[in-house]
């Protein structure tokens, strides 16, 4: 008997980690499979926070259940990512036997648009390779040249946040609030972080948003060559 259930998760459990597979449930459902979210097991790390689980998978209508069993969809240890399509999401879709269709992550939520949101900044990232002084210089230059009012995002789940001196702060209580704002803003400045991937998904809704993403100098060439967490339409800047 053929097992028609495909269980999905990312290994690391981070926001961008989960979003990189967010197009899979819809595509595999169209191929006649039933997609479940893999329950926490010793094969994957726990979600970095519960909000990630709910935001990425909780509203996805193509996730039919949460169950234990074979882990079939995701970045399983030993699986070698390959840049065959010159497109990050399409690379993953191709690797799992799908016809590549998507270039952006997908979030199944209709945003509540917010008036008056101009520019947003997120200078948090797990990577410790960033030079904070250089990041501040780049952000301040982008803010000056934009001519818009910017606010720096702060939340309870940020890592290694680089404070931009004198920048007004905006606090979000959760990912849905952040997504609403990203779908409403004119310009977004980020590092290579979870919200960088959220903003890529938001660009499906907010096609006029200008998004600058700062990459560590030491990783820039490799990142752009492999397209790992690189999305079309985003302006990538070497630190």
């Amino acid at each position: 008997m053929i097992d028609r259930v495909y269980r999905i998760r990312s290994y690391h459990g981070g926001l961008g980690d989960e979003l990189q597979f967010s197009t899979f449930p819809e595509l595999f459902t169209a191929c006649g499979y039933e997609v479940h979210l893999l329950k926490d097991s010793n094969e994957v790390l726990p979600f970095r926070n519960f909000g990630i689980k709910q935001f990425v998978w909780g509203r996805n209508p193509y996730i039919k259940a949460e169950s234990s069993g074979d882990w079939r969809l995701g970045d399983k240890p030993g699986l070698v990512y390959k840049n065959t399509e010159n497109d990050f999401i399409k690379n993953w879709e191709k690797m799992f036997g799908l016809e590549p269709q998507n270039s952006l992550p997908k979030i199944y939520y209709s945003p509540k648009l917010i008036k008056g949101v101009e520019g947003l900044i997120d200078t948090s990232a797990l990577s410790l390779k960033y030079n904070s002084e250089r990041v501040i210089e780049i952000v301040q230059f982008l803010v000056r040249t934009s001519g818009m009012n910017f606010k720096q995002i702060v939340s309870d789940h940020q890592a290694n946040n680089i404070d931009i001196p004198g920048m007004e702060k905006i606090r979000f209580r959760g990912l849905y609030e952040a997504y609403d704002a990203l779908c409403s803003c004119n310009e977004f400045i980020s590092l290579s972080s979870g919200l960088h991937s959220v903003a890529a998904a938001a660009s499906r809704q907010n096609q006029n948003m200008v998004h600058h993403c700062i990459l560590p100098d030491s990783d820039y060439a490799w990142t752009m060559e492999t397209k790992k967490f690189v999305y079309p339409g985003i302006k990538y800047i070497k630190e």
Side-chain angles (χ1 to χ4, degrees):
M1 182 176 178
I2 298 175
D3 184 2
R4 305 297 293 182
V5 173
Y6 273 36
R7 293 175 184 85
I8 191 167
R9 265 298 305 275
S10 80
Y11 175 76
H12 291 284
L15 180 54
D17 300 311
E18 299 294 335
L19 280 171
Q20 66 186 321
F21 303 113
S22 58
T23 64
F24 278 25
E26 184 174 352
L27 295 178
F28 274 97
T29 297
C31 293
Y33 295 93
E34 186 169 306
V35 182
H36 291 194
L37 183 64
L38 178 70
K39 280 190 174 180
D40 287 341
S41 70
N42 57 11
E43 291 186 278
V44 296
L45 297 175
F47 287 100
R48 291 194 183 134
N49 63 73
F50 177 77
I52 293 172
K53 178 180 180 180
Q54 176 60 28
F55 181 70
V56 178
W57 304 120
R59 292 175 181 253
N60 189 318
Y62 301 97
I63 296 288
K64 295 306 179 185
E66 184 175 0
S67 65
S68 301
D70 290 340
W71 177 28
R72 301 175 74 176
L73 299 178
D75 49 346
K76 300 179 67 168
L79 181 67
V80 180
Y81 166 87
K82 297 178 181 178
N83 182 20
T84 59
E85 308 302 304
N86 208 36
D87 183 296
F88 179 52
I89 301 295
K90 286 181 179 176
N91 287 340
W92 279 124
E93 292 176 349
K94 180 73 170 181
M95 285 176 64
F96 281 86
L98 296 165
E99 184 68 30
Q101 297 183 35
N102 294 279
S103 295
L104 301 168
K106 209 165 205 181
I107 294 169
Y108 295 84
Y109 163 71
S110 296
K112 301 178 181 67
L113 299 183
I114 305 168
K115 292 183 179 180
V117 179
E118 295 187 51
L120 295 170
I121 300 165
D122 176 34
T123 45
S124 67
L126 278 179
S127 175
L128 295 174
K129 296 180 180 180
Y130 282 99
N131 180 318
S132 59
E133 292 184 0
R134 180 66 181 140
V135 168
I136 291 170
E137 288 177 2
I138 294 172
V139 170
Q140 290 177 332
F141 172 78
L142 292 172
V143 169
R144 283 197 307 271
T145 55
S146 76
M148 285 189 290
N149 178 48
F150 276 79
K151 295 181 181 180
Q152 183 174 10
I153 296 169
V154 292
S155 77
D156 294 334
H157 298 292
Q158 289 177 315
N160 310 312
N161 195 24
I162 299 171
D163 182 67
I164 307 300
M167 184 63 59
E168 184 180 353
K169 305 299 190 287
I170 183 170
R171 176 172 288 276
F172 295 128
R173 292 172 294 178
L175 288 168
Y176 290 108
E177 285 190 1
Y179 185 68
D180 289 343
L182 288 169
C183 287
S184 306
C185 74
N186 297 320
E187 193 159 339
F188 181 50
I189 303 169
S190 75
L191 307 187
S192 185
S193 63
L195 277 192
H196 158 243
S197 292
V198 173
S203 68
R204 289 176 178 268
Q205 301 278 344
N206 186 4
Q207 297 178 5
N208 294 322
M209 173 178 55
V210 177
H211 182 179
H212 307 273
C213 179
I214 304 168
L215 299 175
D217 178 69
S218 59
D219 287 350
Y220 182 84
W222 173 85
T223 301
M224 298 307 292
E225 179 182 354
T226 63
K227 302 302 179 186
K228 200 76 181 285
F229 290 101
V230 169
Y231 304 105
I234 297 176
K235 299 180 179 182
Y236 290 92
I237 302 170
K238 182 166 67 172
E239 178 192 69

